[in-house]
């Protein structure tokens, strides 16, 4: 199947859906957006924004919801804090406080008024994305990789164009979107289909859609008419399956390690992994964790 015209257009924008309630991490997420829970010394969301920037993304669209105002504040100036740190000559801390701030106008925030599903969340970004390819990055999924997952995908996208989704093996395909692979060329997989949260025995493969996408803007028209699917939600996977009728889709198995912060144990694992990988604190973190485990016996 041929690529759509213009499908190699450069990728400039990323959509980050951040409206979810974080029900699997309650009560921690009762008043704090789950995306701002710290993963060692940074909010989870910061890792994903860093991954986007490293991949050349120029504009980030956050699809937020009620009670998520702290996300906007995090990427804004913290005037009183900055003035205080400046007066105390705390340079390092001042730089840390300022580091999330991007150029004015390079972030947009749009609200999803009701939790109707990932497909609906992405559709909420349609006017801001406009008629150009865009990335979707699910901030629950932290991808530890060098170069970052989205950068690896952009390199592949520059070769094949069309639509590209990150996949990796899982032992629990029923929890995710799953692809039907056709053939494989290294890390790039030609696909035949995909399905959202299949019954375990009906899963077409063990390759799950892991939370990074590069999509063509034609997906928006399909999302607009997309009826509810698995879990009675408007599923991005269902519209991608329809887009596959007319555009090329590849899956990409990136090189790196994914941490799913969406539940308590996944969050613990991410926290520990990023502490262990930290340039400054990694060694100390390892000693601390070893000592804790030794105490436990
Ligand atoms: C969403 C997507 C699913 C994907 C998953 C990755 O599901 O619908 O295709 O595999 O994210 O985390 P959710 O986690 O919102 O149920």
């Amino acid at each position: 199947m041929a690529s759509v015209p213009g499908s190699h257009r450069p990728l400039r924008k990323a959509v980050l859906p951040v409206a979810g309630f974080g029900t699997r991490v309650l009560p921690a997420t009762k008043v704090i957006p789950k995306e701002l829970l710290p993963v060692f010394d940074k909010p989870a969301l910061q890792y994903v924004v860093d991954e986007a920037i490293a991949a050349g993304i120029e504009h980030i669209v956050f699809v937020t919801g009620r009670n998520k105002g702290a996300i906007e504040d995090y990427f804004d100036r913290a005037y009183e804090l900055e003035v205080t740190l400046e007066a105390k000559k705390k340079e390092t801390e001042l730089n840390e406080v300022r580091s999330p701030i991007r150029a004015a106008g390079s972030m947009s925030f749009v609200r999803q008024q009701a939790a109707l599903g990932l497909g609906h969340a992405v559709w909420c970004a349609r006017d801001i994305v406009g008629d150009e390819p865009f990335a979707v990055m699910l901030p629950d999924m932290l991808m530890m990789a060098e170069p970052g997952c989205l950068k690896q995908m952009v390199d592949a996208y520059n070769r094949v164009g069309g639509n590209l989704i990150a996949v990796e093996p899982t032992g629990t395909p029923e929890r995710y979107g799953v692809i039907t692979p056709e053939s494989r060329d290294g890390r790039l997989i030609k696909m035949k289909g995909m399905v959202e949260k299949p019954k375990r025995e009906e899963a077409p493969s063990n390759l799950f859609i892991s939370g990074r996408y590069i999509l063509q803007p034609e997906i928006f028209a399909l999302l607009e008419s997309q009826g509810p699917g698995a879990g009675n939600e408007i599923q991005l996977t269902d519209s991608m399956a329809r887009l596959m009728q007319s555009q090329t889709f590849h899956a990409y198995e990136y090189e790196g390690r994914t941490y799913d912060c969406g539940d308590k144990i996944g969050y613990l694992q991410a926290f520990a992994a990023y502490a262990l990988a930290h340039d400054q604190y990694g060694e100390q973190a390892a000693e601390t964790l070893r000592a804790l485990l030794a105490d436990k016996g």
Side-chain angles (χ1 to χ4, degrees):
M1 193 180 298
S3 283
V4 283
S7 64
H8 284 70
R9 280 179 297 174
L11 184 74
R12 300 190 315 114
K13 294 179 180 167
V15 174
L16 275 58
V18 291
F21 291 130
T23 37
R24 287 180 292 158
V25 214
L26 282 167
T29 49
K30 186 177 167 190
V31 293
I32 300 171
K34 65 173 172 176
E35 298 80 11
L36 293 185
L37 292 180
V39 173
F40 192 53
D41 63 348
K42 285 192 279 185
L45 191 55
Q46 182 71 62
Y47 294 94
V48 183
V49 169
D50 289 346
E51 183 190 328
I53 306 294
I57 294 295
E58 295 165 15
H59 192 108
I60 296 184
V61 185
F62 294 94
V63 181
T64 76
R66 286 180 292 286
N67 304 323
K68 296 279 183 158
I71 293 178
E72 290 183 49
D73 293 341
Y74 175 76
F75 292 104
D76 200 349
R77 304 297 295 260
Y79 188 73
E80 198 177 348
L81 180 57
E82 289 181 43
V83 168
T84 308
L85 292 172
E86 224 159 17
K88 292 188 172 166
K89 305 219 176 323
K90 293 200 177 244
E91 285 297 321
T92 310
E93 290 81 356
L94 191 59
N95 287 337
E96 279 170 345
V97 165
R98 286 182 176 157
S99 65
I101 301 169
R102 314 290 321 161
S106 62
M107 285 184 169
S108 299
F109 298 82
V110 61
R111 277 201 183 188
Q112 184 190 24
Q113 294 101 331
L116 298 178
L118 176 61
H120 180 261
V122 171
W123 180 72
C124 289
R126 66 197 178 284
D127 281 351
I128 306 175
V129 170
D131 189 26
E132 55 180 288
F134 64 103
V136 174
M137 306 174 81
L138 306 188
D140 272 355
M141 306 302 262
L142 295 190
M143 276 124 168
M144 194 186 273
E146 191 51 50
C149 177
L150 191 63
K151 171 76 172 92
Q152 294 180 34
M153 290 173 71
V154 167
D155 292 344
Y157 171 74
N158 288 339
R159 283 186 276 129
V160 296
N163 301 267
L164 198 64
I165 54 183
V167 295
E168 58 192 270
T170 176
T172 53
E174 66 279 8
R175 286 177 51 186
Y176 299 108
V178 181
I179 67 152
T180 314
E182 188 179 294
S183 59
R184 194 174 176 121
D185 174 10
R187 296 189 168 275
L188 202 61
I189 300 161
K190 231 172 138 214
M191 301 170 50
K192 274 200 298 212
M194 63 188 112
V195 55
E196 182 67 23
K197 300 193 175 66
K199 288 202 181 100
R200 197 187 174 91
E201 59 283 7
E202 288 168 11
S205 75
N206 69 340
L207 291 172
F208 87 103
I209 301 170
S210 59
R212 301 292 183 267
Y213 312 70
I214 296 176
L215 297 173
Q216 298 299 319
E218 288 74 19
I219 192 81
F220 289 124
L222 299 171
L223 287 170
E224 182 148 10
S225 62
Q226 188 65 55
N232 207 26
E233 294 188 343
I234 297 171
Q235 296 290 354
L236 180 59
T237 304
D238 293 343
S239 287
M240 292 195 299
R242 287 164 65 207
L243 187 58
M244 235 182 112
Q245 313 288 318
S246 57
Q247 294 190 6
T248 54
F249 258 89
H250 286 90
Y252 188 80
E253 200 175 338
Y254 86 107
E255 189 174 0
R257 176 92 202 258
T258 299
Y259 297 96
D260 182 352
C261 295
D263 63 46
K264 293 180 184 184
I265 295 300
Y267 174 65
L268 168 68
Q269 204 180 21
F271 197 107
Y274 278 88
L276 291 169
H278 196 284
D279 283 348
Q280 189 184 345
Y281 291 101
E283 282 299 314
Q284 260 175 283
E287 276 168 37
T288 307
L289 290 175
R290 268 195 293 268
L292 267 177
L293 288 173
D295 276 357
K296 194 142 172 40

